Amino acid sequence: MTAYSMDNSLGGEADVILTSHVKGFYYGPFLALRNIEMKIFKNRITAFIGPSGCGKSTLLRCFNRMNDFVKGARLEGQILFNGRNIFDASVDAVTLRRQIGMVFQKPNPFAKTIYENIAYGPRINGYKGDMDELVEQSLRRAALWDEVKDKLKKPGTSLSGGQQQRLCIARAIAVQPEVVLMDEPCSALDPISTRRIEDLMQELRDLYTIVIVTHNMQQASRVSDMTAFFNVEMREGSRTGELVEYAPTTTIFQSPQKEATQAYVGGRFG
Amino acid sequence: MGEVVWARAVLMLIRKGVDCGLTTAVTLASVIALVPLFSILLYVTYKGLGTVLTGGLSIFTELPPPPMVEGGGLGPAIVGTLIVVSIGAAISIPIGIMSAIYLSEFSAGEPIAYWIRFFTNVLAGVPSIIAGVFSFGLIVLTTKTFSAVAGGAALSVLMVPVITLATEEALRLVPQDMRQAAYGLGSTSLQTVTKVVLPTALPTIVTGITLAIARAAGETAPLIFTALFSQFYLPFDTEGPGALFNQPIASLSVLIYNFALVPFENQQKMAWAASLVLLGMVLISSIIARTATRRNM
């Protein structure tokens, strides 16, 4: 892996918030990921791209330890969050997930009102401030406030798919996380809703660090500052994901160093 | 040419005939399926309504009549059914819901879960009189008296499997995505289950509990030798809450059983009235439970 300095289009050096030293990630006996060395920069949007099964979602779910729920999942190596290994015995996964939020592929609002969807996270975190204010602020940040301010008592599931996904983003940021992980957040949405969420990500960049997994290369090139290209390697009958190239998005799309990257972003496979 | 048109016309006629015949058959079958329900409702109403109307309010408060005496009511039996079923519910709802939570949320891949589910299904098929025998052996013989608690325990044996299976089904219907969302926001397992999964599944769970209660309220066999029967209200004034443990208690179902077998017309009438009241209680509680939970969604 070449180390890149962060003088990309945004300019200036950025702080590192997450560092992956993953040696190997296993589902039972199967090696799903190996040798992932990368740094995620603070207040930047980092996109993970690559063909299906390349382990990009798996890596994303390592960052907030969502893979803890997968039986037989095992990680060798370390992931540092603000310099601290998140797999350390002293790190509580529940607390970690409050700092590293997540937006999922399919919009998954709770079967509660719009208001309660947002208030749930802060409430379980023992938030003491003005809940109405926090709900409004979160919905405003997710660019949803104007559409739902008159129906906060309606069920979250009554919204359209795109609105539901923005509700889920609002719900995630209501907990005031440092990082928001997005696992193909637009794959279930129409182009207009997708556009709105991409615009939203640009507005959220100043407040949060965003890591997004996407199948859509145009999306990665539109929204992200850094892009990581993952590829699958067949070895001994099992598919193992590897980080092929990680660089500022412009580099990945205009002058990729590796042949596989070139082939993928050029649309020759994937 | 003419032959082809002719053949096509015949074919269409056959198709229409089959279509019509089958539609009639399935409609008829569904009507037949409803016949028992409506005939029971109508016949019980026909036989019992007169007694309930002439008795008026006293039907719901007065003691059951001795042979050949007009009047009287179902007071102790109604209260008794409510008490015994409440005890059964108090025992079985927590056990049923908690074991369902274990089965659906925390037992993935555990072989013990398979066996729990298997034996819950077996328990669901146990004849109700066996539940009575169980409670008789466990409680009546130990405390040396029939009691409301012994009756409630017998009913809870019947209610636990119904509640467990219905609740597990309801919890499984909650999308996995919702649990992920809850964990992703930093919920503990407890918070995920109590604040997200259970509330989402609540309407279905309540329906299951209502079914269990309705079934228990109508049971006679498990009560005959656990709660037995009584002509009177429980003596709470002299015994306090102890009356639940040391007194036989009346119930509508056992009253129906007792009075239906006697040769006295007034008591037979009272059995019909009790049938109507029991049906009404089950029906009303189902309707209330369904409408109350539907509003939440």
Side-chain angles (χ1 to χ4, degrees):
Chain A
M1 260 314 301
T2 333
Y4 283 90
S5 69
M6 261 305 294
D7 48 18
N8 57 37
S9 54
L10 283 177
E13 287 286 316
D15 296 332
V16 172
I17 190 162
L18 279 162
T19 312
S20 163
H21 298 304
V22 175
K23 302 267 170 286
F25 182 86
Y26 297 85
Y27 287 119
F30 297 108
L31 182 63
L33 278 175
R34 65 186 194 102
N35 291 341
I36 310 290
E37 287 292 327
M38 72 186 304
K39 294 184 166 88
I40 306 287
F41 298 97
K42 201 171 176 169
N43 295 112
R44 295 288 186 271
I45 299 177
T46 305
F48 289 1
I49 61 170
S52 298
C54 67
K56 51 196 191 304
S57 286
T58 301
L59 180 64
L60 192 77
R61 283 159 181 265
C62 285
F63 288 148
N64 65 345
R65 288 182 55 181
M66 282 302 273
N67 288 326
D68 288 13
F69 300 108
V70 181
K71 226 176 141 94
R74 183 165 58 84
L75 183 130
E76 276 170 17
Q78 292 188 331
I79 288 176
L80 306 181
F81 173 54
N82 288 330
R84 195 158 162 226
N85 182 14
I86 62 169
F87 294 97
D88 232 45
S90 63
V91 172
D92 175 25
V94 168
T95 317
L96 177 75
R97 292 187 201 111
R98 291 173 186 182
Q99 293 161 319
I100 305 184
M102 190 154 203
V103 176
F104 297 83
Q105 189 169 356
K106 245 174 61 193
N108 54 358
F110 297 132
K112 301 175 188 286
T113 62
I114 293 170
Y115 184 98
E116 287 301 321
N117 259 283
I118 309 291
Y120 173 83
R123 208 167 269 154
I124 61 165
N125 284 295
Y127 178 74
K128 292 284 186 299
D130 185 341
M131 189 62 82
D132 291 353
E133 203 180 293
L134 181 64
V135 169
E136 180 175 339
Q137 183 202 49
S138 307
L139 286 167
R140 275 190 194 283
R141 282 187 182 170
L144 190 60
W145 175 251
D146 290 331
E147 291 157 68
V148 302
K149 62 174 181 240
D150 299 321
K151 45 179 180 180
L152 294 174
K153 297 272 169 272
K154 290 263 172 63
T157 44
S158 66
L159 299 173
S160 75
Q163 289 174 324
Q164 285 188 20
Q165 195 60 303
R166 276 180 282 143
L167 180 67
C168 293
I169 293 174
R171 180 178 67 185
I173 60 185
V175 189
Q176 294 164 335
E178 291 181 49
V179 181
V180 180
L181 307 176
M182 298 187 174
D183 190 359
E184 297 182 45
C186 302
S187 63
L189 304 181
D190 64 81
I192 294 169
S193 306
T194 300
R195 196 69 212 214
R196 297 209 60 166
I197 291 192
E198 290 177 2
D199 293 345
L200 173 59
M201 288 168 64
Q202 296 304 324
E203 284 158 34
L204 294 176
R205 182 197 351 235
D206 295 339
L207 297 161
Y208 312 97
T209 303
I210 296 176
V211 184
I212 176 174
V213 165
T214 177
H215 266 299
N216 180 334
M217 276 182 286
Q218 281 71 36
Q219 180 167 60
S221 70
R222 280 193 301 261
V223 300
S224 69
D225 307 307
M226 297 290 289
T227 297
F229 171 62
F230 293 78
N231 204 354
V232 201
E233 197 190 328
M234 295 295 295
R235 40 171 58 211
E236 290 151 31
S238 88
R239 298 155 66 88
T240 301
E242 284 187 328
L243 177 59
V244 176
E245 192 167 356
Y246 178 44
T249 300
T250 44
T251 312
I252 290 283
F253 282 93
Q254 284 161 20
S255 50
Q257 307 295 305
K258 299 276 168 65
E259 210 171 303
T261 318
Q262 216 160 23
Y264 187 75
V265 301
R268 269 179 279 144
F269 85 102
Chain B
M1 271 312 273
E3 277 168 24
V4 174
V5 173
W6 179 234
R8 212 176 270 159
V10 171
L11 210 69
M12 253 171 69
L13 219 69
I14 294 175
R15 228 177 257 157
K16 270 199 182 138
V18 170
D19 181 19
C20 186
L22 285 180
T23 309
T24 316
V26 292
T27 313
L28 208 65
S30 47
V31 170
I32 290 172
L34 287 177
V35 165
L37 173 67
F38 282 102
S39 53
I40 288 172
L41 279 178
L42 287 177
Y43 198 63
V44 168
T45 310
Y46 164 69
K47 290 291 239 179
L49 193 62
T51 316
V52 173
L53 287 181
T54 41
L57 261 185
S58 65
I59 281 285
F60 299 97
T61 56
E62 277 183 28
L63 305 184
M68 325 249 252
V69 179
E70 280 307 305
L74 305 164
I78 293 174
V79 176
T81 289
L82 291 177
I83 289 176
V84 174
V85 170
S86 303
I87 293 172
I91 299 171
S92 58
I93 291 175
I95 295 177
I97 289 186
M98 284 197 274
S99 51
I101 288 174
Y102 172 72
L103 287 176
S104 126
E105 307 297 313
F106 300 110
S107 70
E110 303 273 352
I112 191 175
Y114 170 83
W115 291 108
I116 292 175
R117 211 170 283 126
F118 176 77
F119 284 114
T120 306
N121 274 302
V122 170
L123 193 59
V126 162
S128 58
I129 195 154
I130 307 295
V133 172
F134 165 75
S135 175
F136 180 80
L138 190 73
I139 298 181
V140 177
L141 290 185
T142 323
T143 59
K144 303 200 166 49
T145 169
F146 300 104
S147 65
V149 169
L155 292 186
S156 73
V157 173
L158 301 173
M159 294 167 79
V160 163
V162 179
I163 294 175
T164 305
L165 296 174
T167 305
E168 194 201 349
E169 196 57 44
L171 295 179
R172 281 183 188 284
L173 287 177
V174 176
Q176 206 55 37
D177 293 351
M178 236 178 246
R179 294 182 181 85
Q180 296 240 326
Y183 284 119
L185 290 167
S187 311
T188 59
S189 301
L190 179 69
Q191 288 165 333
T192 304
V193 170
T194 56
K195 299 196 165 141
V196 175
V197 179
L198 275 181
T200 309
L202 192 65
T204 329
I205 295 174
V206 171
T207 308
I209 291 175
T210 315
L211 275 175
I213 286 176
R215 180 178 170 203
E219 282 294 347
T220 317
L223 295 181
I224 294 177
F225 41 94
T226 53
L228 199 66
F229 190 70
S230 159
Q231 304 288 337
F232 309 103
Y233 286 105
L234 282 187
F236 283 120
D237 46 347
T238 55
E239 299 276 336
L244 293 174
F245 296 89
N246 61 19
Q247 300 285 327
I249 183 171
S251 59
L252 282 168
S253 53
V254 177
L255 182 140
I256 296 168
Y257 174 73
N258 287 343
F259 281 11
L261 298 179
V262 296
F264 310 109
E265 202 195 333
N266 70 316
Q267 292 193 335
Q268 288 173 4
K269 273 189 181 163
M270 208 40 84
W272 281 113
S275 309
L276 183 61
V277 171
L278 186 57
L279 260 181
M281 281 166 64
V282 169
L283 224 66
I284 289 170
S285 61
S286 317
I287 292 170
I288 289 176
R290 271 167 196 267
T291 47
T293 49
R294 192 170 302 156
R295 208 171 303 135
N296 280 341
M297 279 308 282

